[in-house]
Amino acid sequence: MSTRYPFTAVVGMDDLRLALLLNAVSPAVGGVLVRGEKGTAKSTAVRALAELLPEVPVVAGCRFSCDPASPDPGCPDGPHGDAPGSARPARMVELPVGASEDRLVGALDIEKALAEGVKAFEPGLLAAAHRGILYVDEVNLLSDHLIDHLLDAAAMGASHVEREGVSVRHAARFLLVGTMNPEEGELRPQLLDRFGLTVEVAASRDPEQRVEVVRRRLAFEDDPAAFAARWAGEETALRGRIVAARALLPEVALGDAVLLQIAATCAAFEVDGMRADIVMARTATALAAWAGRTEVTSEDVRQAALLALPHRRRRSPFDAPGLDEDKLDETLEQFKGDEPDDDPEPDGPGDGDGPGGGGGVPPQAEGPDGPSPESAEAPEGAPAPAPQGSGAGERAAVKAAEPFRTKVLSVPGLGEGAAGRRSRARTEHGRTTGSTRPRGALTKLHLAATVQAAAPHQRARGRSGPGLVVRRDDLRQATREGREGNLVLFAVDASGSMAARQRMSAVKGAVLSLLLDAYQRRDKVGLVTFRGRDAEVALPPTSSVDAAAARLEKLPTGGRTPLSAGLLKAHDVLRIERLRDPSRRPLLVVVTDGRATGGGADPVALAARAARLHAADGTASVVVDCETGPVRLGLAGTLARELGGTAVTLDELRADSIAGLVRDVQAAGQTTRRAA
């Protein structure tokens, strides 16, 4: 067994260590979501936590880790009666991003179930994680159907497996810990709310602390066993403190004054639902127990708010998580009751070097010397400064107009890409459309087709009883149709012809609206911009729509319109993405007025040739026509015809303004394929 990096050897990251330890003290807090850039030891800290958890008493031989003191009456391995108990270390089970549904929830032997009526069940990762830790690295990249199972199990404390009338249920109560890099996409709000606490982590900018991180890591890699032995004393002491805090937890008093502060804080920050109140109460109680106190203080409530509320305040994927600490302090002061008379500097969270100091979200957009000049607010009414290196005629970026609900744009045909909510596709989940012979393990049985395949052979197989004699060759896999996520690539015209302030604001608002739609439909997005003499990839394809929104917000305008360069750059991006992920179908959204005034001797002809490259590839496309004014040239419509797509105006893009846009896109795509 490999040696894990010691928890007490982790340098810095006080908030992360505190959040993990509070969940070790009180698993009812509900888990931790760790958000941060790559290379910040998120996974190292989480894996190290498992070594600190106390041993778990289990029924000997039970695959579902039943507690001998109160075994699950519905356990598939039960009833246990007076079965002997034993103790084992707490488990940390890792859920891979690419895991199958059967690997997560378990699998039934369909052949035995049909032929013998036997519930032959092989437990999955949810069963293995019961009474331990379920760790999901890159949790934001999990497939929707796996997230649904996680939500159900986390909410009910049990996992249900239903397959063609055969049902198995087992307990699945676990500490859910997830790590993610926000640059790769955000979580669905439903799953985000399931995590009790959230922590933002970032690499230290202190050179001395960075040196210590490198020194310890190199020492660990040179001799893991010797390094772990050096920290064994600290690990033992911390493990004992967790046990002591767990024992003290039932004695901690949560007074009415503190409860009022918790409720007032959640109300002041307009948090949806009541889960935040409950999580804050449990977190504040765990904080008091961790500090060795039996009463909760206002400082415990404040710390709990900084850990439990930031991720519950997001109203859209473009909102940065965080909490206004001045507002928090005002609310706590307003509803402050009689405080218990405690030592102002207790031995607990907040004492200098141990895990547990700090709280909340690290300051954003600040360097070692304070806020960067770009992040400082200009006086109201003053013009925004032009970006450094701006060329002649370039105008500063303008803010986007308010986003709106857009009509659904979909890719024609039937795909086989990652599960999502945009275009039709063959998926693991959805409505059943037929059956086929399984390739590999059977996952979704088509019962009628299986019975139909087995029925003609019953006499030849010597059937004499009521059971159906089923063989492997009889099994049929159900084929299902659902929805997939696509790659939505935006090619945005930022030239001088688009530079009118109101016009560009409306254009950015439209693109922002489409980005919101892409977030909801689980798409990847990319952003190509073109102006002046060339085009650039402002954002390579990613699942992070908020990163695309940030690049869009800073986009300046000005110069000529190299439309052909923009289309060719988009073609290169799509070509590379087809090699990386051939099953994810693209949708090209060109946002322009259709003018072509740069890029060669005959820019219009060059743009038409570039557009026909996309049409030849069968890329579904939509041109958002940004032309305004009483006299319109209709150039965007001409471009759409060359692309084999359709054109819509900014006004028509609204969901309540364009009935039939999906039909138009599909018809255009079918026409393109026939022409090809």
Side-chain angles (χ1 to χ4, degrees):
M1 182 176 178
S2 61
T3 303
R4 286 179 175 165
Y5 194 90
F7 188 87
T8 50
V10 174
V11 179
M13 297 198 298
D14 292 339
D15 289 346
L16 171 57
R17 292 190 291 164
L18 174 61
L20 292 172
L21 289 170
L22 292 177
N23 275 274
V25 171
S26 176
V29 166
V32 186
L33 174 64
V34 187
R35 296 165 47 93
E37 59 197 28
K38 55 186 176 293
T40 49
K42 301 186 296 292
S43 301
T44 298
V46 174
R47 293 189 176 100
L49 176 69
E51 299 295 324
L52 297 176
L53 298 182
E55 289 190 332
V56 178
V58 296
V59 173
C62 178
R63 297 175 297 167
F64 301 89
S65 302
C66 281
D67 187 345
S70 56
D72 181 7
C75 176
D77 284 355
H80 294 299
D82 297 327
S86 61
R88 62 161 176 78
R91 290 176 182 158
M92 191 193 73
V93 177
E94 295 194 41
L95 173 61
V97 169
S100 66
E101 180 183 343
D102 285 347
R103 184 74 185 100
L104 177 64
V105 302
L108 290 170
D109 190 327
I110 301 297
E111 294 180 61
K112 287 187 177 181
L114 287 176
E116 305 172 25
V118 176
K119 295 181 183 179
F121 180 69
E122 183 66 28
L125 296 178
L126 290 179
H130 179 48
R131 304 177 67 202
I133 301 174
L134 180 61
Y135 172 50
V136 189
D137 193 13
E138 307 293 355
V139 63
N140 50 324
L141 303 183
L142 269 186
S143 300
D144 275 2
H145 67 284
L146 294 182
I147 287 177
D148 290 337
H149 286 298
L150 276 180
L151 290 177
D152 291 342
M156 298 184 295
S159 175
H160 294 262
V161 183
E162 303 282 348
R163 294 286 169 85
E164 307 297 342
V166 181
S167 175
V168 173
R169 175 207 167 276
H170 64 83
R173 291 182 294 276
F174 46 81
L175 169 60
L176 181 61
V177 180
T179 56
M180 60 175 282
N181 183 348
E183 293 180 358
E184 297 173 339
E186 286 293 344
L187 280 174
R188 285 168 50 185
Q190 296 94 326
L191 182 60
L192 197 61
D193 190 49
R194 295 293 184 188
F195 287 97
L197 310 179
T198 186
V199 178
E200 294 276 337
V201 297
S204 172
R205 300 296 182 258
D206 178 8
E208 292 185 3
Q209 194 172 71
R210 295 175 75 97
V211 166
E212 185 61 24
V213 170
V214 175
R215 182 182 291 117
R216 292 186 187 183
R217 187 70 207 184
L218 293 178
F220 174 75
E221 291 176 356
D222 287 342
D223 191 343
F227 185 84
R230 283 172 48 198
W231 293 89
E234 287 83 350
E235 292 281 290
T236 301
L238 191 57
R239 189 179 297 110
R241 187 173 173 185
I242 292 173
V243 173
R246 281 190 174 188
L248 183 62
L249 189 66
E251 302 176 24
V252 176
L254 191 67
D256 290 342
V258 171
L259 282 173
L260 181 60
Q261 280 188 316
I262 291 171
T265 301
C266 292
F269 286 100
E270 300 179 356
V271 177
D272 294 336
M274 296 297 297
R275 182 174 281 115
D277 303 62
I278 297 170
V279 170
M280 274 190 65
R282 289 172 174 166
T283 305
T285 303
L287 280 161
W290 180 246
R293 291 184 269 102
T294 57
E295 291 194 58
V296 177
T297 67
S298 290
E299 185 56 33
D300 294 330
V301 176
R302 185 181 192 279
Q303 183 74 67
L306 292 171
L307 293 171
L309 296 188
H311 62 299
R312 293 186 164 89
R313 296 199 61 245
R314 302 190 75 189
R315 293 295 181 263
S316 82
F318 308 139
D319 295 336
L323 216 59
D324 184 341
E325 295 195 30
D326 290 337
K327 182 178 179 180
L328 173 60
D329 291 335
E330 290 174 6
T331 304
L332 292 175
E333 185 63 31
Q334 180 182 354
F335 291 90
K336 186 175 183 179
D338 295 332
E339 285 284 329
D341 186 14
D342 280 312
D343 184 350
E345 296 183 359
D347 179 20
D351 53 333
D353 299 328
V361 181
Q364 303 295 315
E366 291 190 11
D369 301 320
S372 61
E374 292 82 4
S375 66
E377 293 186 4
E380 188 173 355
Q388 294 182 359
S390 59
E394 184 176 284
R395 304 189 185 183
V398 299
K399 287 190 173 296
E402 283 296 315
F404 51 84
R405 189 169 64 90
T406 66
K407 195 69 176 179
V408 180
L409 308 176
S410 67
V411 178
L414 192 65
E416 294 183 343
R421 300 178 182 176
R422 184 172 296 278
S423 306
R424 294 174 54 225
R426 297 183 185 92
T427 59
E428 288 290 324
H429 298 266
R431 62 185 182 90
T432 301
T433 58
S435 65
T436 185
R437 289 180 181 272
R439 293 178 295 181
L442 180 72
T443 56
K444 297 290 182 182
L445 178 73
H446 194 296
L447 182 59
T450 298
V451 172
Q452 187 176 6
H457 308 291
Q458 296 305 294
R459 182 175 297 177
R461 292 173 183 173
R463 173 184 169 186
S464 58
L468 188 68
V469 180
V470 180
R471 294 181 179 172
R472 178 71 186 176
D473 290 343
D474 301 327
L475 299 179
R476 295 294 181 269
Q477 175 85 19
T479 57
R480 304 193 174 200
E481 182 178 313
R483 293 278 168 178
E484 68 177 359
N486 298 108
L487 166 59
V488 182
L489 180 63
F490 295 93
V492 179
D493 184 350
S495 64
S497 65
M498 304 280 288
R501 197 168 188 84
Q502 287 185 335
R503 186 179 185 186
M504 198 60 199
S505 177
V507 168
K508 287 187 175 182
V511 178
L512 194 65
S513 304
L514 290 168
L515 284 171
L516 275 169
D517 183 67
Y519 166 75
Q520 294 165 352
R521 300 187 186 281
R522 316 303 290 169
D523 294 317
K524 289 179 70 174
V525 296
L527 178 62
V528 171
T529 63
F530 53 96
R531 64 187 180 90
R533 297 181 180 180
D534 204 357
E536 66 172 348
V537 180
L539 182 72
T542 175
S543 297
S544 178
V545 296
D546 54 339
R551 305 290 170 87
L552 179 72
E553 191 70 25
K554 298 175 182 177
L555 179 66
T557 57
R560 290 181 172 272
T561 311
L563 180 56
S564 60
L567 294 174
L568 289 174
K569 183 67 72 174
H571 186 266
D572 286 343
V573 171
L574 294 179
R575 177 180 57 81
I576 294 171
E577 283 302 306
R578 284 191 181 97
L579 296 175
R580 290 176 176 170
D581 190 357
S583 63
R584 189 180 288 269
R585 299 186 295 161
L587 173 64
L588 176 64
V589 179
V590 185
V591 185
T592 181
D593 57 8
R595 296 175 186 270
T597 59
D602 190 349
V604 175
L606 289 173
R609 288 175 58 187
R612 288 195 288 272
L613 287 176
H614 289 281
D617 289 342
T619 302
S621 58
V622 176
V623 178
V624 179
D625 184 359
C626 303
E627 191 174 25
T628 58
V631 179
R632 295 174 181 254
L633 301 178
L635 298 176
T638 302
L639 175 63
R641 288 190 290 275
E642 295 287 0
L643 286 166
T646 188
V648 296
T649 66
L650 289 174
D651 290 336
E652 291 173 336
L653 194 59
R654 295 178 180 272
D656 53 0
S657 301
I658 50 168
L661 176 59
V662 175
R663 182 176 64 251
D664 293 342
V665 174
Q666 292 175 339
Q670 291 164 0
T671 302
T672 300
R673 288 199 305 276
R674 286 197 295 270

